[in-house]
Amino acid sequence: MSIRPQKPAPATPAPGRLPITELAEMKARRQPIVMVTAYDAPGGRLADSAGADLILVGDSAAMTVLGYDSTVPATMEEMLILTRAVTRGASRPLVVADMPFGSFQVSDEDATRNAIRFVKEAGADAVKLEGAGPTLDRVKSIVGAGIPVMGHLGLTPQSATKLGGFKAQGRSAEAALALLADARALEAAGCFSLVLEAVPAPVAKRISEQLQIPTIGIGAGADTDGQVLVWHDILGLYEGRVARFVKRYADIGQDIRTALEAYADDVRERRFPEEQHTYAMPEEELAVFERAAGASEHEREQGNDRRN
Ligand code: KIV
């Protein structure tokens, strides 16, 4: 009797979660996949109630919520806390944890151990890794452990220095062909989907057509199988320079500033709190309290006089 190698069992989705196989079916139906980043439980809840299919706990958190000026400093511990918060808030969307710089570069073992932490300790459904090349073996190793992996090509912010800054990738025929080859290699390594960031639209279109797995674009035109944007960019919460591909759907940053200024004015002008914001107590209890507090104040003053 021959023993066939077992395919690793994928992580079991929580009840109510979108089955990961649905994403390939959405691609086949040409139904656009909606992904958005989120970094906390309210964000997870809101993205879920807005109907997102995928939530990415991006290492963009380093810049959007942790105050760094690049994604590189994000640590495993920080990303675990944020991912845990998001999975507490989101029920239906699949939650993808972004593996931070340093968590998968050293070895397959290290990468797989860290991916397992995202699933076991933070409830992630999948992880995302940037790049191809040495990342391909990491992908195979993590997928081999039963954890779905999303790839990420094009502008990969963790290696922005090597890429010459935050700029579009694949703009020469040679670079576009290299992207296509890397995309195919990531699919062959077992990725269930692929983010394409800051890539010319025709290149992203061709890659999307040639892959079986869904592509999720950010700055990659309208022909990828899905789109992703960063929470703070969509909502107008990020104060730094935003990329050309960002569409802002709200100006929550300005709304927050206006609300905080109004609160500060109210406090300074003693308009807040008002009667409806305070707690009452029964009259008779108040009277007893006032008498006793007055008496103890009197005793304290007499004690002070004696000491002087
Ligand atoms: O970290 C992130 O938010 C990302 C998206 C921009 C794809 O990687």
Side-chain angles (χ1 to χ4, degrees), residues 1-6:
M1 193 178 75
S2 71
I3 301 175
R4 273 192 294 151
Q6 292 273 302

Side-chain angles (χ1 to χ4, degrees), residues 32-246:
I33 297 166
V34 178
M35 180 158 97
V36 62
T37 71
Y39 314 103
D40 57 18
R45 248 190 317 273
L46 287 166
D48 187 349
S49 64
D53 303 304
L54 292 164
I55 298 179
L56 173 66
V57 188
D59 65 352
S60 49
M63 298 171 80
T64 55
V65 297
L66 299 177
Y68 295 113
D69 58 10
S70 87
T71 60
V72 169
T75 65
M76 270 303 292
E77 300 313 315
E78 286 163 343
M79 292 303 294
L80 281 167
I81 291 171
L82 303 180
T83 305
R84 213 176 284 135
V86 170
T87 58
R88 284 192 199 109
S91 301
R92 180 185 170 276
L94 290 162
V95 177
V96 182
D98 212 359
M99 296 197 64
F101 181 70
S103 70
F104 65 94
Q105 280 81 0
V106 175
S107 67
D108 291 354
E109 287 74 14
D110 204 31
T112 308
R113 195 175 305 111
N114 283 325
I116 289 172
R117 289 193 72 192
F118 275 118
V119 173
K120 280 187 82 131
E121 297 176 35
D125 299 296
V127 295
K128 177 170 85 58
L129 275 70
E130 289 187 9
T135 301
L136 296 171
D137 279 338
R138 312 291 189 259
V139 172
K140 286 183 201 156
S141 176
I142 296 169
V143 173
I147 299 171
V149 177
M150 176 180 273
H152 184 161
L153 290 177
L155 171 55
T156 44
Q158 291 176 11
S159 35
T161 311
K162 201 173 102 190
L163 300 175
F166 287 82
K167 51 185 186 191
Q169 301 297 307
R171 297 179 91 175
S172 68
E174 188 188 354
L177 282 168
L179 270 182
L180 177 59
D182 285 347
R184 286 208 190 104
L186 282 168
E187 177 172 73
C191 283
F192 74 96
S193 73
L194 175 64
V195 168
L196 293 172
E197 179 166 354
V199 170
V203 177
K205 180 175 191 285
R206 180 56 81 118
I207 293 174
S208 303
E209 284 164 359
Q210 295 212 356
L211 297 190
Q212 301 294 312
I213 58 172
T215 56
I216 311 287
I218 174 163
D223 293 306
T224 51
D225 302 302
Q227 296 290 331
V228 56
L229 278 180
V230 166
W231 182 268
H232 288 58
D233 290 341
I234 296 174
L235 297 174
L237 272 169
Y238 188 61
E239 310 254 277
R241 199 182 69 83
V242 291
R244 169 188 169 81
F245 53 70
V246 168

Side-chain angles (χ1 to χ4, degrees), residues 283-295:
E283 290 289 330
E284 56 282 12
E285 293 297 327
L286 182 56
V288 173
F289 167 71
E290 294 287 10
R291 258 197 314 279

